[in-house]
Amino acid sequence: MKSHTATMDPILAIRISAIVGFLAVALGAFGAHLLKARLAALQMTEVWHTAVFYHLVHAVVMLFLAGRPVFARNAWLLFLVGIILFSGSLYLMAATGAKWLGPITPIGGICLLAGWLSLAIWAFAA
């Protein structure tokens, strides 16, 4: 099916994936150093660590997918949206203490799960 194997400019996908990975490392360092006291005061250090972990793991997967000869576009996009919603909501919640962001997190998690499922379906169809 074309939507699962649609081409995307591989250089653009690699650039976006690299920026997503860079942001994961930068936000990890930001939380470990500049936000350390604030995260501890809000008891949100573990939340920040979870956000960084899932962000970085999926950034690496995105980079891997972007470098493949046949691009699993749907999975790559679901991982990107999942990182934004899952890790992004956790980053904001941890830094601000805004608990109302909590319901956004599972939507991001569903996108990450859907990305993995999409990748499995894509691999079976290949």
Side-chain angles (χ1 to χ4, degrees), residues 60-80:
V60 170
V61 173
M62 287 175 61
L63 185 60
F64 173 78
L65 291 176
R68 303 286 301 155
V70 180
F71 186 60
R73 181 175 173 255
N74 289 349
W76 187 89
L77 287 170
L78 284 164
F79 290 141
L80 179 61

Side-chain angles (χ1 to χ4, degrees), residues 9-87:
D9 177 14
I11 299 301
L12 178 60
I14 289 170
R15 285 179 181 155
I16 293 169
S17 300
I19 290 167
V20 170
F22 171 87
L23 289 172
V25 175
L27 287 165
F30 185 66
H33 300 289
L34 296 175
L35 285 182
K36 185 177 182 176
R38 177 161 180 77
L39 294 172
L42 294 172
Q43 298 180 335
M44 289 288 195
T45 303
E46 280 303 309
V47 171
W48 191 273
H49 287 163
T50 299
V52 171
F53 176 76
Y54 279 86
H55 184 163
L56 187 56
V57 165
H58 288 89
V60 170
V61 173
M62 287 175 61
L63 185 60
F64 173 78
L65 291 176
R68 303 286 301 155
V70 180
F71 186 60
R73 181 175 173 255
N74 289 349
W76 187 89
L77 287 170
L78 284 164
F79 290 141
L80 179 61
V81 172
I83 290 168
I84 292 167
L85 295 177
F86 182 83
S87 293

Side-chain angles (χ1 to χ4, degrees), residues 1 4-5 72 116-126:
M1 176 178 251
H4 291 287
T5 59
W116 287 107
L117 185 59
S118 175
L119 187 56
I121 292 167
W122 173 83
F124 280 114

